Amino acid sequence: MTAFNVVRMRVKPGNEEAYLKSHRDRVLEGMDGMRSLNVIKTGDREFCVIGEWDSMEALAAARPAMIATLDTFRDRLEDLGPGLGVTDPVSGEVVLQRRP
């Protein structure tokens, strides 16, 4: 079953282009099973990274690579508040999908 992960984050002022460049230029090594990577802007300096995966197993196996990637730009992110740190991640299997 297809799976998705979504990671919400807020970029420090003046770091938006460097943040986007880090996603644009990064090599997806260790991300076997990733079908797509999308970065959406959800507000002022706020973004969500959305990954589509072949399965939850593929997503779980890629977590060390995802954390290593985050570590390359962690210093460009703001703390999200009450115990969250700099990211707010969720993931799960698709239970319904519709296409036009």
Side-chain angles (χ1 to χ4, degrees):
M1 179 69 65
T2 305
F4 281 83
N5 70 312
V6 179
V7 183
R8 182 174 66 94
M9 54 197 77
R10 183 181 313 116
V11 179
K12 290 178 180 176
N15 284 274
E16 282 187 63
E17 189 50 44
Y19 167 79
L20 291 172
K21 182 176 179 5
S22 69
H23 286 291
R24 191 177 304 116
D25 296 348
R26 82 184 207 193
V27 176
L28 298 178
E29 187 173 317
M31 306 279 188
D32 296 337
M34 178 180 266
R35 294 182 178 188
S36 68
L37 173 71
N38 300 277
V39 178
I40 63 170
K41 186 168 184 173
T42 60
D44 183 37
R45 298 182 293 111
E46 295 183 1
F47 296 89
C48 284
V49 176
I50 303 170
E52 182 180 12
W53 300 84
D54 289 340
S55 65
M56 281 300 293
E57 293 77 19
L59 189 160
R63 281 192 181 119
M66 287 188 275
I67 292 167
T69 298
L70 172 62
D71 288 344
T72 68
F73 59 83
R74 185 182 297 274
D75 62 326
R76 293 187 179 107
L77 303 178
E78 285 186 355
D79 191 288
L80 294 174
L84 288 174
V86 296
T87 63
D88 183 15
V90 295
S91 62
E93 288 184 327
V94 172
V95 295
L96 177 83
Q97 185 175 59
R98 291 191 57 187
R99 297 189 191 268

